[in-house]
Amino acid sequence: MPAGCRPYAGAMSLPDLIARFDTGDPAFIADPYPVLNALREATPIFWNEDAGHWTLTRFSDVQEALRDRRLGRSYTHLYSHAALGRPEPDPRWAAFHQHEQWSLLCLEPPDHTRIRRLVAKVFTPRAVTQLRPAVQGFADELLDGCRERGEFELLRDYAQPYSVAVICSMLGVPRADTQLLLDWSHAIVKMYELSTTDDVRAAANTAAGEYIDYTKALIAEKRRNPDGLLVSELVRVEDEGDSLTDDEVVSTTMVLLEAGHEATVNTLGNGMRAILRHPGEWQRVVSGSVPPRVAVEEMLRWDPPLHLFERWVLEEGVQIAGQPVAVGEEVAMLFGAAQRDPRRFPEPDRFDIGRGDAAHIGFGGGIHFCVGAPLARQEIEVSVAGLAARFPSLDITAEPAYEPNFVIRGLTGLHLRG
């Protein structure tokens, strides 16, 4: 095993290592990296029998798969479910499937190209820059409240209300409705785990249906009273005679809420835990020797908020890491393993807040590179700067635990004292 990786205790065969890749095991969720490291060093690709997909472990293969146009986030633009021997979508979860039908994360060209082009006319770098005063204002308001408390829980008291307030401000959603959006997002994203119960699916489906109804009413209101904010602009945007349907606006706003909120909150929680668990790293930020915008990149790499992302094989003759993969097979990319690949990152298990390597895959890659990456980086940078200014001697006051999820990785809470 290359230098800089923590090995898994004892020499183990590949089947034994794959068995240790147990996303239902609380010990694995608490610290998956020894197993992920050992799997990555044992093999670049393995078949996950439980999930029914090929799994990639190394950075170069994951990066290539993200960019390979022979792989796609969906296959229904080319094949029927029956043609690939796959079941039809479960009609019980129709609202969930409807809410993501036109999501940029789930589409392939030509639909992806058309919708992303229209969204890009509205969600521009200039628009993100113009949001900064609002982003700063929300951060200041909430962090000042945390300072008054002295002790606070980062996710509940700051990261969650902050992230949703930013998204609501961007979309043009009343701030009074932030809790609604927060609850819907939390319920829906549980559908993306490797295994879910019918109760979880039902809750996600209900949340998706409520979000669809809410957003369609919001769209109607923005048509009557445009305000220049994102929903209003998505409703009116045109390019070459093309425009977005109401269903496309619903899916677009939902993916911005889900991906934007969950990624920002979990990056802040996971990242601040990492910083404070490594003596001296917080003082590098507080002293100014590591700017907050640089700190963001290591927070995204070392304990990422997204651990797995899938693609479908769309063409014959595909080989990945030397393994032939057939049309209709699914390929899962282990971001947590790839982001600690010593072939790409020197001393990858070392948390170095000043590493500043922005060429990680925290925001995906290829045509599905996260459209909200500039905003997410801005939100995290403003947060780290605000925390450093107010809490130079920040401490963790209770041992944090992770939510019992693998795909979307985040803490249940992070109790801090300034």
Side-chain angles (χ1 to χ4, degrees):
M1 180 175 293
C5 287
R6 281 184 294 160
Y8 197 79
M12 302 184 72
S13 68
L14 181 58
D16 286 339
L17 284 172
I18 293 172
R20 296 281 185 175
F21 180 65
D22 180 0
T23 59
D25 178 4
F28 174 79
I29 294 299
D31 184 9
Y33 297 105
V35 173
L36 295 179
N37 285 346
L39 276 170
R40 184 191 58 243
E41 300 313 314
T43 181
I45 186 169
F46 67 91
W47 177 254
N48 184 332
E49 187 67 39
D50 291 339
H53 58 218
W54 292 103
T55 308
L56 298 180
T57 64
R58 296 179 183 172
F59 186 90
S60 61
D61 297 315
V62 169
Q63 188 176 56
E64 182 179 343
L66 287 168
R67 297 172 177 175
D68 192 335
R69 296 303 308 129
R70 300 173 302 169
L71 310 180
R73 280 289 292 161
S74 66
Y75 56 77
T76 52
H77 59 301
L78 297 176
Y79 307 99
S80 67
H81 297 294
L84 297 185
R86 303 198 64 83
E88 295 291 325
D90 192 323
R92 292 178 297 170
W93 324 130
F96 172 81
H97 297 308
Q98 180 185 346
H99 107 279
E100 68 170 10
Q101 180 179 4
W102 299 104
S103 164
L104 285 171
L105 280 179
C106 300
L107 291 174
E108 290 298 305
D111 288 327
H112 181 276
T113 306
R114 180 180 68 83
I115 293 176
R116 183 144 185 160
R117 185 183 73 244
L118 288 163
V119 171
K121 288 178 70 70
V122 174
F123 197 49
T124 62
R126 182 169 179 267
V128 172
T129 300
Q130 289 175 334
L131 274 172
R132 190 167 187 114
V135 171
Q136 187 70 60
F138 294 134
D140 289 343
E141 173 190 333
L142 290 162
L143 288 173
D144 285 347
C146 292
R147 181 166 55 185
E148 289 174 11
R149 292 183 189 90
E151 294 193 13
F152 61 98
E153 199 278 281
L154 182 68
L155 305 191
R156 180 194 64 231
D157 297 331
Y158 176 71
Q160 291 178 352
Y162 164 72
S163 175
V164 177
V166 170
I167 292 170
C168 286
S169 173
M170 175 183 70
L171 295 176
V173 171
R175 193 171 179 188
D177 292 343
T178 56
Q179 190 61 47
L180 282 174
L181 271 69
L182 188 61
D183 292 343
W184 288 328
S185 177
H186 284 338
I188 290 169
V189 298
K190 288 183 171 61
M191 282 286 266
Y192 299 110
E193 292 300 320
L194 292 179
S195 61
T196 54
T197 65
D198 278 356
D199 286 345
V200 168
R201 295 184 186 104
N205 192 68
T206 298
E210 291 173 356
Y211 181 81
I212 290 168
D213 292 343
Y214 176 91
T215 308
K216 287 193 172 180
L218 184 67
I219 288 168
E221 169 61 24
K222 300 301 183 183
R223 282 204 174 94
R224 291 190 298 268
N225 300 295
D227 57 12
L229 298 173
L230 190 62
V231 172
S232 180
E233 292 302 289
L234 289 172
V235 166
R236 64 181 290 276
V237 68
E238 267 191 54
D239 186 61
E240 299 176 6
D242 195 8
S243 59
L244 294 169
T245 67
D246 286 4
D247 286 340
E248 289 166 351
V249 173
V250 168
S251 290
T252 297
T253 57
M254 194 68 217
V255 76
L256 289 172
L257 169 64
E258 291 172 9
H261 165 72
E262 300 294 335
T264 299
V265 170
N266 292 331
T267 299
L268 282 170
N270 300 357
M272 288 304 301
R273 172 190 175 275
I275 293 172
L276 298 174
R277 282 282 183 250
H278 289 80
E281 296 301 287
W282 184 233
Q283 287 309 310
R284 296 175 70 191
V285 179
V286 169
S287 69
S289 65
V290 175
R293 62 176 175 77
V294 173
V296 168
E297 307 306 332
E298 188 74 341
M299 294 169 74
L300 285 160
R301 181 197 74 86
W302 195 79
D303 192 13
L306 180 67
H307 264 243
L308 183 143
F309 205 52
E310 301 103 333
R311 292 282 195 274
W312 297 95
V313 178
L314 304 178
E315 296 183 15
E316 300 284 355
V318 172
Q319 284 199 17
I320 303 175
Q323 171 66 51
V325 186
V327 170
E329 290 190 318
E330 193 175 24
V331 177
M333 295 161 279
L334 287 182
F335 281 22
Q339 297 277 56
R340 296 203 187 189
D341 189 341
R343 299 159 188 80
R344 171 61 184 79
F345 300 100
E347 297 184 86
D349 276 329
R350 183 169 66 88
F351 183 83
D352 176 4
I353 198 65
R355 188 186 298 263
D357 190 334
H360 52 72
I361 50 172
F363 292 114
I367 67 168
H368 292 288
F369 183 82
C370 178
V371 69
L375 179 60
R377 281 187 162 110
Q378 177 175 281
E379 288 183 67
I380 300 164
E381 176 192 351
V382 167
S383 299
V384 172
L387 286 163
R390 291 169 177 81
F391 306 107
S393 302
L394 202 57
D395 287 323
I396 297 174
T397 61
E399 185 61 33
Y402 284 88
E403 294 282 359
N405 308 316
F406 174 70
V407 175
I408 297 173
R409 179 169 173 80
L411 298 171
T412 59
L414 186 65
H415 293 270
L416 302 175
R417 178 174 53 236

